[in-house]
Structure formats: C-alpha cells, structure tokens
Amino acid sequence: MDFFKSSKQHGFSLQHIISLDSELNKIQDLDVLLERTLTFARRMIGADAGSLYLKKDSGLQINYSQNDTLQASLKPGQKLIYSIFTIKINKHTMSGYAAATKEMLNIEDVYNLPEDAPYSYDKTYDEAAGYRTKSTLSIPLVSNQGELLGVLQLINKKQEDQVVSFTTEDDAVARHFANNVVVALERARMTRAILLRMIQMAELRDPKETGPHVNRVAGFSVEIYERWAIKHNLPEEKIAKDIDNLRMAAMLHDVGKVAISDLILKKNGGFTPEEREVMKTHTISGAKLFLADKSDFDKMAMAVALNHHENWDGSGYPGHVDLLTGKALRKDKKGNSLGKAGLEIPLYGRIVSIADVYDALRSARVYKQAWTEDNVLAEIRKLSGTKFDPELVDAFFEVYPTLQTIADRYKEN
C-alpha cells in the first residue's frame, strides 16, 4: 500500500510524520537518539511497549526498553528498570531473526507461533513482570550499504485499550521511519566517534579518562538533570534539547587535561602544592576549547568543563577567573581565586560534579580499589551541602535505580 495513503488511515497526518523525522534529525547524541527513536516509533504505530537493540560484535545488545502498562504502575518520575543483555544474531528469536534475515517480522501472537517457525518466544520476562506480550513487529535497521545497525521491536499495538495485530500499513510506516532512523543513527554514531577521539587524547595522558567512564558520567548527569528539570516544571522541549547537549558536554568534562604536562598528570604519588595548582588549570584549558560560543552546546560544554570541580560551600576551583588570562576576578583573604558557591555554580557543572565523583569512587583504578556501593552512597550523602547541591543529591538518589542500568550498559572493557 502507498505510504501516504496508509498514514491517513492510521489517523496521523503526513505533517506529523515529517515533524517526527525533523525531530530525529535535530538530535546529536547517540543515546538520546536511541531513546527518542523508540518513543517516536511507538507513538506512530500505537505500540504499548518496545525495545531497541544495537549490533555489538556478533550479537544484539538491548539499549532501551519501554512499556507504558508497566510504567503506569510506577510512582511519578520513576523510570522502568530493565537488564542489559545480549542475544545472538540467529533465527531462534524474533529480534534475532529480523537481524539475521534483515527482514521485518510481524507476529500476531507470540504465544501461538506456527509449528514450523524457526523462532520461539521466552515467556520468562512476561511471567516475572506480570505482563502479556501478544503482537510484535521486529524492524531491522540496515544502512544503505547493507550493514545491520540494530533492531527496533514494537510490542502490543493498542486500539481502544485492546491489543491488536500490527497491520501491513504499520509495516509501511515502520519501514519509512526505520530508513530515517538509520540516517540519523549513522550521523549520531559519527558524532559520538569524534567525541570519543577527543577523549582518547585525554586518555593517552590520563588513564582515568576512559570511554566507559565518560559515557557513565554523561548518562548519570542526564538522569539527574531530567529529574531536577521535571520538578522545576521546565517545558518538555527545553528538557529534550538540554539533555541532548548535556550528554555530550558531560563526556568532555575533563578534556582540558590534554594541556597538562605528563610529568604531573602521570606522576606516581601525591602532588606538590605547585603541581596541584597546575593540575587545577585543566578546568580553564577545557573551557577555552569552547570559547567560540557559537551554539548552546558550546555554552554548556564550557560551563561543565570550567565548573565541575566547584564546591557548593565555595571551597572548589578554579573559582571566579578570567578565562583568557586565568587570573582571579575575585580573591579570598589569601589572595587566591575565590571559589564559586551555591547557585553561583552553573547548574550543569553542579550536576556533572556529582556524576563524576560517584563514578570515580565506584570504579577501580591502577592507583586505587573500587569503593563498595554502600560506602560510595554514604559519601555522596555526607558531601551534600558541602561539596554538592543538596537538591541535586536528592535527585541523584531518586534516579539511583536508573543509574545502575547505565553503569551496566557502559562497563569497563
């Protein structure tokens, strides 16, 4: 059936479809794109639930999962928690079949599959969650060069609160949407690759700055911000835009370390007072990279790089300084740069500060063992009101279960 005719029969306009396509093309960050892709696809088709898998090595790794029915049972602001797992690319599962054949798979009822079907359905998740999966639509995401990028799986099409089958018209809409997702996905992957190359330069200098570390810090930061923003009744459009920029800006929080001498950065043991002062300048060096200030991302990345070591009580660094000269604009009684305190510290710097410290404490490094999770959480609580913004610490603990999903997705290699 003609795609444009099918869009009218679905009850959504061509203008709506074009609008969603346009929204996809505005998103720069890979993780943000993946989450919104799943949300947009479910809205277009009317699916109650869904999952998005990305190809990883020789398998498919689940990256995002959504379920409106299960979400409705949670407290306001809470997110559905799901496990990160990988499945094989073969014909034994429905998503694996779509990946292996690169063909869409439309199933009317997963509990009543044809006897000759090569795939089966594992009811374990349904039984554990108290959910009944029925209709599914598994859509392979394939590039113009034939490369498999992942699989988008939609679950339980809803009409008037009843679960119905996905139609051939849904297939046409999904195929159109998938083509646009692939284009946006390839662009976002390129952006992520560029960011990781910048971070790898810092990693060559400082082994702490690993890809998994910065991805975790970025993911943690986004969740803390989103909870804070919802509590402050910020418009959805602003939240969406800020999340996209913040995730990338948070990844680059320590990029200024490329300007620090190896003699200091890779020194075994503690720093001398003079070396510590040099080390502190990485905040200024990082912020200078974004002085062009040509976009909202530049502004946010500058704020994060400059301010993620400021403390709520004013004891952090670099304080009130001139970015071009590094000289103090406001001084304490000893003549040193006066630290920013409280709300003087930009919001995004205050958020990344918590995310960075949390991940640093829970991670093993060549110079230290990982703290136990209980000790890390106790330290975060202890530092509320001195190092950290108390309101953001509250937000941190409210989204803590979601942070564990992010940590699981970006484990150390």
Side-chain angles (χ1 to χ4, degrees), residues 77 186 343 353:
E186 289 183 316
L343 298 180
S353 174

Side-chain angles (χ1 to χ4, degrees), residues 219-269:
F220 299 159
S221 298
V222 162
E223 295 300 327
I224 296 169
Y225 166 77
E226 186 174 14
R227 177 54 62 92
W228 177 91
I230 290 172
K231 281 188 171 182
H232 284 257
N233 298 313
L234 268 60
E236 287 186 14
E237 185 177 347
K238 174 173 172 53
I239 294 175
K241 185 176 182 180
D242 284 351
I243 283 174
D244 193 21
N245 286 324
L246 177 56
R247 206 187 181 291
M248 295 187 297
M251 289 181 71
L252 296 170
H253 65 281
D254 269 341
V255 71
K257 286 183 178 179
V258 297
I260 305 299
S261 166
D262 281 349
L263 295 175
I264 296 175
L265 202 58
K266 296 184 177 181
K267 179 182 178 181
N268 290 321

Side-chain angles (χ1 to χ4, degrees), residues 246-347:
L246 177 56
R247 206 187 181 291
M248 295 187 297
M251 289 181 71
L252 296 170
H253 65 281
D254 269 341
V255 71
K257 286 183 178 179
V258 297
I260 305 299
S261 166
D262 281 349
L263 295 175
I264 296 175
L265 202 58
K266 296 184 177 181
K267 179 182 178 181
N268 290 321
F271 296 135
T272 67
E274 293 76 17
E275 289 170 339
R276 187 167 297 280
E277 289 306 308
V278 172
M279 188 67 184
K280 289 179 179 180
T281 64
H282 81 274
T283 54
I284 298 173
S285 298
K288 283 181 177 179
L289 294 173
F290 307 101
L291 269 175
D293 194 14
K294 292 182 178 179
S295 66
D296 290 336
F297 167 72
D298 285 333
K299 294 175 183 177
M300 192 177 293
M302 181 189 296
V304 167
L306 184 63
N307 296 286
H308 69 282
H309 282 294
E310 297 287 0
N311 295 336
W312 184 253
D313 63 4
S315 63
Y317 66 87
H320 297 272
V321 295
D322 184 319
L323 266 186
L324 293 177
T325 65
K327 293 183 178 179
L329 296 175
R330 292 168 59 184
K331 298 181 180 180
D332 59 20
K333 294 179 180 179
K334 295 182 179 179
N336 300 317
S337 175
L338 187 67
K340 297 172 187 172
L343 298 180
E344 290 179 334
I345 309 167
L347 171 66

Side-chain angles (χ1 to χ4, degrees), residues 123-153:
K123 300 177 184 178
T124 305
Y125 172 79
D126 282 1
E127 293 169 351
Y131 187 75
R132 168 61 159 97
T133 299
K134 188 175 182 181
S135 55
T136 64
L137 183 62
S138 302
I139 310 146
L141 302 176
V142 182
S143 73
N144 290 333
Q145 292 73 39
E147 177 192 3
L148 176 74
L149 304 182
V151 172
L152 174 62
Q153 188 172 68

